[in-house]
Amino acid sequence: MALLPILKYPNERLHIVAQPVKEIDERIKKLTQDMAETMYEARGIGLAATQVDVHERVVVIDLSEERNDLLVLINPVITHSEGTTTYEEGCLSIPSIYDKVQRAERVRIEYQDINGANQTLDADGLLAICIQHEIDHLNGKLFIEYLSPMKQNRIKTKMKKREREEAKQQ
């Protein structure tokens, strides 16, 4: 397994729409393992392949305290949603930025598991939020795009400044 570099906002590659996975082969299985290791190392609860510059529809999520309940979603699609809730979100691609986002309270998704079997999952609470957040990544959308243009500009300025400072240190 290997740690993968996580793209940071405002990197334009975060806006690339991911393509469906055609075949769940050893490459995809290794990708999911590497993504899980990267997510755990970064202390995240979800990671989309887009965030590691792989533009295929793959997501890993683990909400467990023990970090031992990995959920792998390949080609996930939200087929039903209901209710609304507001939750403060953060993102590994936009470190140390958090803000409230309104999303569906409950979702039903269809996806393939790591063995290629078709699955259906009903989720609510934090899992529903996380699934929507990660699917947004696959669609080239970041959580800050739900915020006001003024907040988006402030965050973009802050992230560009951080990027310049990090470049100077290298």
Side-chain angles (χ1 to χ4, degrees), residues 3-14:
L3 291 177
L4 304 170
I6 298 172
L7 296 177
K8 302 288 192 265
Y9 179 78
N11 191 310
E12 286 301 315
R13 290 176 289 177
L14 288 166

Side-chain angles (χ1 to χ4, degrees), residues 15-119:
H15 296 290
I16 296 172
V17 176
Q19 298 302 306
V21 172
K22 290 179 176 41
E23 180 185 1
I24 300 172
D25 54 13
E26 288 307 311
R27 181 184 65 82
I28 293 295
K29 290 178 180 180
K30 180 176 184 337
L31 173 65
T32 62
Q33 291 171 349
D34 292 346
M35 285 174 59
E37 183 178 347
T38 301
M39 175 187 68
Y40 291 139
E41 180 68 23
R43 304 172 81 67
I45 59 172
L47 187 68
T50 302
Q51 293 176 270
V52 294
D53 208 16
V54 176
H55 304 284
E56 294 180 86
R57 299 189 76 78
V58 178
V59 167
V60 294
I61 295 173
D62 190 341
L63 304 181
S64 70
E65 292 287 325
E66 301 80 23
R67 314 303 268 159
N68 64 356
D69 192 21
L70 185 68
L71 176 62
V72 175
L73 307 174
I74 299 172
N75 298 323
V77 176
I78 296 172
T79 58
H80 179 77
S81 62
E82 60 184 54
T84 57
T85 188
T86 302
Y87 196 86
E88 186 170 79
E89 296 186 26
C91 181
L92 295 176
S93 291
I94 314 172
S96 70
I97 302 293
Y98 301 90
D99 214 315
K100 289 182 169 48
V101 175
Q102 188 173 31
R103 296 194 183 268
E105 189 173 20
R106 289 174 293 286
V107 295
R108 173 174 292 140
I109 63 167
E110 293 179 0
Y111 67 98
Q112 291 172 283
D113 65 21
I114 196 66
N115 298 311
N118 292 328
Q119 303 286 342

